[in-house]
Amino acid sequence: LRDSEELYSALVRNISDAVFLLRGDTIAWCNDKVKEVYGYTRDELLGQKASLLYSGDVEPLAFAQEIAPAIAAMEKRGTFHGMSKFLRKDGVISFFEYSLSRIPDRYPVEIIGVVRDVTERVRAEEQLRHSEEYYRALIDNAQDVTVVLNGDGTIRYESPSLARVLGLNSSEQRRSNPFELVHPDDVAAASQSLAELMKTPGATTHEEMRVKDEEGSWRILEIVGQNLSDNPAGKGIVANFPGITEPNQ
């Protein structure tokens, strides 16, 4: 039994995550990794309230409300997994994923907590989201038309400029067939061109075709298409319309 306890103790001391034992709302034990994660030494944390580690903008009442779902989950299932903001000793607010497990039949309540710093991942995801929003705003407000097709040829995205150019209303924009507005005499050639483009990732094509606008007039579209099916950011066919003629009855 003693050998088993020493083995588990060594494993907990050397894992890369911070590990806590909470007794009631007090930190009763923790491993040395808390220094890397929180900036506090073990001696500085032992005997402190768990709320010490929450961000400074969390009041005691808000702290109690935030951990209430965790307590309810542990009452029901014995465990809880979540992510929240925590306050490091140096004053930096970091994002941590944590797992809480209640030890049965212990009073006051004892909880094992395992905490991992995911701040870099969260920041990277936020930066990516802001970048996506930025470029989406550029596309949405550009004069040139952009259309993205799925691998099966259905429409995934149409930039608002298509509606402005052709005078379409919102219901007319919501369609899946990319050839719905194409002149009947141009559909076969357009379909063939799209089929050929879909065969080769990275391939491009330059075509012209007639499309119908709001007034029923035919406009000639210059289309530059590219197969981005092997690009994780695209995963489809991207078509840009750099040139559109004036209406022709």
Side-chain angles (χ1 to χ4, degrees), residues 39-231:
Y40 293 95
T41 65
R42 291 180 68 248
D43 291 339
E44 289 175 318
L45 288 178
L46 293 179
Q48 298 293 330
K49 299 294 185 183
S51 57
L52 168 72
L53 304 174
Y54 264 68
S55 58
D57 58 351
V58 176
E59 299 297 329
L61 178 59
F63 172 74
Q65 292 173 339
E66 184 164 339
I67 66 172
I71 294 174
M74 284 187 289
E75 289 287 347
K76 184 176 181 180
R77 300 187 299 272
T79 62
F80 178 80
H81 302 277
M83 186 174 73
S84 187
K85 294 187 298 183
F86 287 86
L87 181 66
R88 287 178 46 89
K89 183 181 180 179
D90 56 12
V92 174
I93 300 296
S94 298
F95 291 88
F96 295 160
E97 282 183 343
Y98 60 93
S99 175
L100 304 176
S101 300
R102 180 174 179 176
I103 301 175
D105 303 322
R106 297 288 183 90
Y107 299 97
V109 172
E110 292 189 357
I111 296 171
I112 295 292
V114 180
V115 181
R116 175 172 298 178
D117 189 340
V118 294
T119 304
E120 289 187 6
R121 189 191 78 194
V122 171
R123 301 298 188 203
E125 290 172 350
E126 289 179 347
Q127 185 176 8
L128 177 61
R129 184 172 64 254
H130 290 322
S131 177
E132 289 174 345
E133 292 172 352
Y134 170 74
Y135 286 109
R136 179 66 176 262
L138 289 180
I139 292 174
D140 284 351
N141 292 280
Q143 294 300 313
D144 288 353
V145 175
T146 299
V147 175
V148 181
L149 305 180
N150 296 310
D152 60 359
T154 56
I155 297 173
R156 184 196 312 168
Y157 169 80
E158 290 179 349
S159 62
S161 52
L162 180 61
R164 293 195 296 268
V165 169
L166 299 181
L168 306 176
N169 58 43
S170 57
S171 62
E172 289 172 323
Q173 272 201 287
R174 291 194 295 269
R175 61 185 179 280
S176 60
N177 182 1
F179 304 114
E180 186 175 319
L181 301 177
V182 176
H183 193 286
D185 293 344
D186 295 343
V187 169
S191 299
Q192 180 63 29
S193 177
L194 178 59
E196 290 296 324
L197 182 61
M198 286 182 169
K199 292 179 181 179
T200 309
T204 60
T205 186
H206 193 155
E207 308 288 341
E208 286 188 352
M209 66 183 68
R210 291 165 290 179
V211 297
K212 185 184 294 185
D213 66 12
E214 178 190 28
E215 304 296 330
S217 301
W218 295 104
R219 313 279 290 272
I220 299 177
L221 265 63
E222 178 188 355
I223 301 174
V224 178
Q226 184 173 12
N227 185 335
L228 297 180
S229 58
D230 61 346
N231 186 325

Side-chain angles (χ1 to χ4, degrees), residues 5-38:
E5 289 178 350
E6 290 177 354
L7 172 61
Y8 287 127
S9 177
L11 290 173
V12 170
R13 285 196 305 270
N14 290 284
I15 64 175
S16 59
D17 300 328
V19 181
F20 294 88
L21 171 63
L22 305 180
R23 184 172 292 121
D25 62 350
T26 302
I27 301 171
W29 180 90
C30 56
N31 66 352
D32 290 327
K33 292 298 180 179
V34 296
K35 175 67 174 177
E36 298 177 19
V37 176
Y38 289 102

